[in-house]
């Protein structure tokens, strides 16, 4: 197959290009080329999706499959659909679990779950507060133009090599550091994520097998305690000791959930966000999504953390000093 990846220079889109190339496909990556380099073995075409005719360099070629990872701009998505929709045998659009309207109910699947409305006309396409609504608008554009050949995969947390969000990687890095580790929430809480290589594999598989429809792109939910134990087995230091601290107490101390400065990744307030980490993904697994073990994911994520530098200032996570303060305060409170 000849696959066009709109992107191909950073994280998921680059991994899709690499995976497709390794599977023997002819791959073209199209991006500005300012954020990174495409993998070896692909053709690179410089394009700028912010320009009305920015995809013209792609010429008149047909593609067996096109993969679009546009974050939230319906304008960019429509431009790609207008320029390339008729020339594509299959179209993947990477959406997000942020489209869902009900973040609390557990066990929902992609088929039945309601989504938020698209943003009001004229909204700013760069407004990150409107990420979910804009993803809905992007999905709608894809269904409208190439609906009969569209695979829309709604990703949850994407983790693994080349992730620059500093979220999942906090845990393997911290466990490898050893000593007393503060773990938020409770061992029975559910968490959900997908390794970037598994998602890339599924996207290529779906292009090959003409999978169409809208499906969630995360592994089945796992118990948070089992995840931490598996990561500790794979990458933990010998002197590791876990101290579980309840989420509501951490929130009172100003620790942020999920991402950002002074946060604890993978932790979400419950029950308010329980629905985001407990999705029923049977249909995705039936449609060819395969998922690797947490041990394997943690090992690769730690390797990538080492490339980034374990002592760097993180975009997400807490510092060792902050963790020690919190542990002391928790012991005093408890
Ligand atoms: N990360 C997560 O946990 C997560 C969770 C749920 C959903 N998602 C979704 O997953 C998708 C994956 O994104 P990603 O961050 O992994 O993608 P990525 O690999 O970083 O790819 C983005 C590509 O877009 C290109 N690009 C940016 N601006 C461009 C422009 N004006 N013209 C042409 N190309 C442009 C970039 O290259 P240049 O800058 O060089 O042009 C880059 O190659 C997104 O749709 C995101 O919403 C992510």
């Amino acid at each position: 197959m000849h696959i066009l990846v709109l992107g191909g220079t950073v994280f998921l889109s680059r991994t899709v290009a690499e995976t497709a190339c390794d599977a023997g496909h002819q791959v073209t990556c199209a991006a500005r080329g300012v954020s990174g380099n495409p993998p070896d073995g692909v053709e690179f075409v410089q394009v700028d999706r912010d320009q009305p005719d920015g995809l013209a360099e792609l010429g008149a070629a047909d593609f067996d499959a096109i993969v679009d990872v546009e974050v939230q701009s319906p304008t960019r998505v429509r431009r790609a659909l207008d320029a390339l929709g008729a020339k594509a045998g299959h179209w993947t659009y990477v959406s997000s679990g942020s489209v869902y309207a009900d973040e609390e109910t557990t066990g929902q699947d992609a088929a039945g779950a309601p989504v938020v409305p698209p943003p009001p006309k004229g909204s700013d396409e760069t407004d990150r507060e409107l990420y979910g609504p804009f993803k809905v608008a992007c999905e709608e554009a894809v269904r409208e133009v190439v609906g009969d050949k569209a695979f829309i995969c709604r990703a949850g947390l994407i983790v693994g090599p080349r992730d620059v969000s500093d979220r999942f990687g906090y845990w393997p890095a911290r466990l490898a550091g050893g000593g007393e580790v503060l773990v938020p929430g409770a061992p029975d809480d559910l968490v959900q994520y997908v390794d970037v290589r598994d998602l890339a594999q599924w996207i290529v598989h779906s292009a090959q097998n003409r999978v169409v429809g809208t499906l969630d792109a995360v592994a089945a939910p796992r118990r948070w305690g089992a995840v931490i134990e598996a990561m500790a087995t794979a990458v933990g230091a010998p002197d590791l000791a876990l101290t579980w601290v309840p989420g509501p107490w951490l929130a009172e101390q100003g620790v942020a959930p999920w991402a950002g400065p002074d946060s604890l990744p993978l932790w979400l307030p419950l029950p308010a966000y329980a629905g985001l980490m407990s999705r029923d993904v049977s249909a995705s697994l039936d449609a060819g999504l395969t998922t690797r073990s947490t041990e394997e994911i943690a090992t690769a994520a730690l390797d990538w953390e080492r490339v980034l530098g374990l002592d760097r200032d993180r975009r997400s996570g807490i510092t060792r000093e902050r963790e020690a303060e919190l542990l002391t305060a928790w012991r005093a409170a408890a």
Side-chain angles (χ1 to χ4, degrees), residues 42-76:
V42 308
E43 176 198 21
F44 182 74
V45 178
Q46 197 171 29
V47 301
D48 185 351
R49 301 179 69 177
D50 288 328
Q51 303 305 319
D53 62 346
L55 295 169
E57 280 301 311
L58 287 166
D62 287 339
F63 297 96
D64 298 299
I66 293 181
V67 178
D68 188 8
V69 298
E70 167 51 36
V71 178
Q72 68 173 63
S73 163
T75 303
R76 287 184 184 173

Side-chain angles (χ1 to χ4, degrees), residues 42-123:
V42 308
E43 176 198 21
F44 182 74
V45 178
Q46 197 171 29
V47 301
D48 185 351
R49 301 179 69 177
D50 288 328
Q51 303 305 319
D53 62 346
L55 295 169
E57 280 301 311
L58 287 166
D62 287 339
F63 297 96
D64 298 299
I66 293 181
V67 178
D68 188 8
V69 298
E70 167 51 36
V71 178
Q72 68 173 63
S73 163
T75 303
R76 287 184 184 173
V77 166
R78 280 198 178 276
R79 256 177 213 150
L81 290 163
D82 290 347
L84 303 163
K87 301 193 231 168
H90 184 262
W91 193 283
T92 295
Y93 176 65
V94 180
S95 184
S96 162
S98 297
V99 298
Y100 292 118
D102 177 355
E103 294 171 326
E104 185 164 347
T105 306
T106 56
Q108 299 177 74
D109 65 13
V115 299
V116 296
K121 272 207 165 25
S123 300

